[in-house]
Amino acid sequence: MSIKAVFHLSKQAAARVNVSRSFASLPASIARSGESLSFPNEHPGQNYAFNWTLNGDGVTPLKKSAFRITKPLELKVAGLTPLTNVPLKVDTSSAEKSMLEAGSDALDFDSYDEIGQRCKDLLSVSDSLYCPEGHMPGTHTSVRVITNSESLAPKLLAYFDRAPKRDSAGCSITAFVLVDDQMDNFGAYAIEEVGETAEDIASVAAVVCTGKNVQIEQVVAGLEMSLKGLKEDEEARKAEGESTEQE
């Protein structure tokens, strides 16, 4: 083996040792929440795979601080405190009255899209984003909330059923929750079908909540009404399919 080849292998070995030492120096709580050797500039709140997923949702974390939160440990990594009263029960009976459905007489799609885009733009420039994920209680319907609210994130994680850890991907329900003094109080949801063929058509939902003091009841009302709409769509497609088979 040439001297040049030996030198190259020595550099590789040294690099591996340096990487191992860098992760060994991390706090245990951070080390347990996932390591990445491919992107040395990653750190808690800066994960490239998750950022790409957020881009797909229409939010770009420009401040490079976006936390994917699927369990209490990840709340702590984000600097937040998990709730102790889990699961969190939320009464949405009063909040449902103010939650609008896009495409209804009360809210057209253009107005919904305009406010939703404004919400996403402001979330993109927030100092930090907190993104609790899980399943809607009692279901396997995946849900993600993208918010700048340090107080809402722990409550939402406590409300969700914990979902199996998986790669970052889109969810059946995505909520955009912006707490901002400059935004009017607004709450709405929209349901649309996605898919290119009859076999892969599915419904997804998006919830938008904005205001100076967004409450957990309003967010959960939007999530629950979205879940109801998704189930109705699925049942309608199933009934249509059975009718077609009988013809």
Side-chain angles (χ1 to χ4, degrees):
M1 183 179 293
S2 67
I3 295 176
K4 183 177 181 181
V6 172
F7 178 71
H8 178 67
L9 290 174
S10 298
K11 287 180 67 179
Q12 287 183 323
R16 286 195 294 270
V17 171
N18 288 337
V19 169
S20 298
R21 286 176 177 172
S22 66
F23 280 114
S25 65
L26 289 173
S29 61
I30 295 178
R32 287 199 303 273
S33 39
E35 301 175 358
S36 173
L37 300 180
S38 300
F39 302 100
N41 291 327
E42 286 188 339
H43 55 77
Q46 170 73 342
N47 179 283
Y48 292 108
F50 183 56
N51 285 355
W52 277 113
T53 301
L54 293 181
N55 287 337
D57 290 331
V59 175
T60 301
L62 297 176
K63 300 294 182 68
K64 299 182 179 180
S65 179
F67 297 89
R68 185 187 185 200
I69 301 171
T70 64
K71 54 188 176 182
L73 172 61
E74 290 168 338
L75 274 175
K76 295 179 180 179
V77 171
L80 307 180
T81 303
L83 268 63
T84 56
N85 55 326
V86 178
L88 180 67
K89 302 298 182 182
V90 181
D91 182 1
T92 62
S93 54
S94 59
E96 288 179 355
K97 301 174 184 177
S98 60
M99 182 60 59
L100 307 176
E101 180 178 3
S104 66
D105 293 339
L107 179 67
D108 60 75
F109 279 109
D110 287 342
S111 297
Y112 171 85
D113 289 342
E114 181 180 351
I115 298 173
Q117 187 59 54
R118 176 62 174 161
C119 175
K120 294 175 184 179
D121 290 344
L122 290 176
L123 284 172
S124 294
V125 297
S126 296
D127 289 337
S128 288
L129 295 176
Y130 307 100
C131 309
E133 292 182 20
H135 285 161
M136 289 295 290
T139 77
H140 289 96
T141 301
S142 59
V143 56
R144 169 186 296 143
V145 177
I146 304 171
T147 183
N148 64 337
S149 172
E150 297 181 2
S151 62
L152 286 174
K155 296 176 182 178
L156 287 161
L157 187 68
Y159 167 76
F160 295 149
D161 284 351
R162 185 165 173 176
K165 186 75 173 184
R166 58 184 178 81
D167 293 337
S168 299
C171 293
S172 297
I173 305 174
T174 305
F176 306 89
V177 181
L178 175 71
V179 177
D180 191 302
D181 290 344
Q182 299 179 6
M183 292 293 290
D184 293 332
N185 293 330
F186 177 81
Y189 68 101
I191 297 175
E192 63 176 335
E193 287 188 334
V194 296
E196 298 180 356
T197 65
E199 290 74 18
D200 64 4
I201 286 180
S203 293
V204 295
V207 179
V208 176
C209 294
T210 68
K212 300 177 182 178
N213 186 27
V214 180
Q215 298 296 311
I216 182 69
E217 290 82 4
Q218 182 186 28
V219 180
V220 172
L223 298 177
E224 291 181 344
M225 294 170 78
S226 294
L227 178 63
K228 181 181 178 181
L230 294 181
K231 289 181 177 179
E232 290 175 349
D233 276 10
E234 182 63 28
E235 292 171 356
R237 280 191 294 270
K238 183 178 180 181
E240 182 179 355
E242 293 174 349
S243 175
T244 301
E245 290 177 358
Q246 293 174 0
E247 292 179 355

